[in-house]
Amino acid sequence: MKKHQVLVAPSLLAANFLELGNEVEMVNRSEADWFHLDVMDGRFVPNISYGMPIIAQIKKKANKPCDVHLMIEEPEKYAADFKKAGADSLTVHLEACVHLHRNIQQIKGLGMRAGVALNPHTPVMLLENVIRDLDVVLIMSVNPGFGGQTFIEQTYHKIQQLRQLITESNAHALIEVDGGVGPENAARLVKAGANVLVAGSAVFSSPDPEKTIRLLKTSAQ
């Protein structure tokens, strides 16, 4: 993927849930590419968000792929249920998976794009032996569990390390970044090697969310 081909994935965790249908329609109208859906269990992260029923409702209105990010323990127990609910891609956390390769193969076997997320403290090189099996690597640029956190500056270097690993391994994984992403740092993230920008508060707290998505989309130009 060329650097200027940036995918934008608004995170519905930051949406107004009283107006969820309208928020989904806004994303549909916009230049966004994916819906980013964060699932939290209150165990792997200190928060609880939403699960399969909400995703299934979003899927009914969404005309773009649903990118589901599982911040949960034992994700293998629920992978098939998330596929049934409408997940097009499923990302699990390396830190939550005892048998990561098995998790990846399960997701791919269910017909979804397979992703692995890394917490801020987790080294990129831990993916060395599975990188060629992955469709997406999600770099957390904040500690997972809550929206609206401050972006961690070390993330730029981590993206560069991951880009090098993907290139040297002849892998095809997209680099996705989640946490504190907005128009002010998007260009630098793309320059470091990111392909997919997840933005929650920057989009849904904006007075003009569609314009903000457009700014993110053109961040590499």
Side-chain angles (χ1 to χ4, degrees):
M1 174 174 285
K2 296 178 182 178
K3 282 190 176 182
H4 65 269
Q5 293 177 303
V6 181
L7 303 182
V8 176
S11 174
L12 290 193
L13 188 65
N16 178 354
F17 272 69
L18 289 177
E19 299 289 340
L20 189 56
N22 291 332
E23 301 279 52
V24 171
E25 288 175 356
M26 181 277 292
V27 176
N28 282 339
R29 289 193 309 270
S30 77
E31 295 179 35
D33 300 276
W34 297 348
F35 287 86
H36 187 80
L37 306 174
D38 289 307
V39 177
M40 307 178 189
D41 63 358
R43 296 170 64 210
F44 180 68
V45 292
N47 201 1
I48 296 173
S49 59
Y50 50 77
M52 282 76 83
I54 297 294
I55 291 173
Q57 294 301 311
I58 292 169
K59 185 67 175 181
K60 289 179 181 179
K61 278 187 170 284
N63 62 17
K64 298 173 181 181
C66 290
D67 175 41
V68 177
H69 174 199
L70 299 184
M71 289 175 264
I72 69 174
E73 295 182 6
E74 299 180 301
E76 63 278 358
K77 290 185 176 180
Y78 310 100
D81 291 327
F82 281 107
K83 168 65 176 178
K84 185 177 179 181
D88 296 288
S89 61
L90 197 66
T91 294
V92 297
H93 268 262
L94 177 147
E95 303 85 4
C97 297
V98 177
H99 303 288
L100 183 62
H101 182 268
R102 185 182 297 167
N103 290 85
I104 295 165
Q105 297 308 312
Q106 177 194 30
I107 294 166
K108 293 171 83 76
L110 288 166
M112 295 178 283
R113 284 190 301 268
V116 169
L118 301 179
N119 280 342
H121 72 281
T122 303
V124 163
M125 291 310 295
L126 292 179
L127 293 176
E128 184 177 9
N129 293 309
V130 295
I131 192 65
R132 293 185 66 173
D133 297 312
L134 294 174
D135 300 299
V136 179
V137 177
L138 175 55
I139 298 291
M140 292 301 301
S141 43
V142 299
N143 287 292
F146 297 94
Q149 296 183 64
T150 302
F151 180 88
I152 297 171
E153 291 292 314
Q154 172 66 14
T155 303
Y156 298 114
H157 178 60
K158 194 168 183 179
I159 293 168
Q160 291 169 339
Q161 289 179 312
L162 177 56
R163 173 56 60 204
Q164 184 176 351
L165 174 62
I166 290 170
T167 301
E168 291 177 352
S169 304
N170 195 27
H172 66 272
L174 298 176
I175 299 176
E176 187 171 10
V177 187
D178 183 4
V181 174
E184 69 286 347
N185 59 9
R188 189 175 173 191
L189 289 168
V190 173
K191 185 177 180 181
N195 304 109
V196 186
L197 303 177
V198 176
S201 301
V203 169
F204 290 102
S205 297
S206 168
D208 189 343
E210 291 182 60
K211 181 180 179 181
T212 300
I213 290 167
R214 194 177 312 115
L215 288 172
L216 292 166
K217 188 78 177 164
T218 58
S219 59
Q221 296 178 1

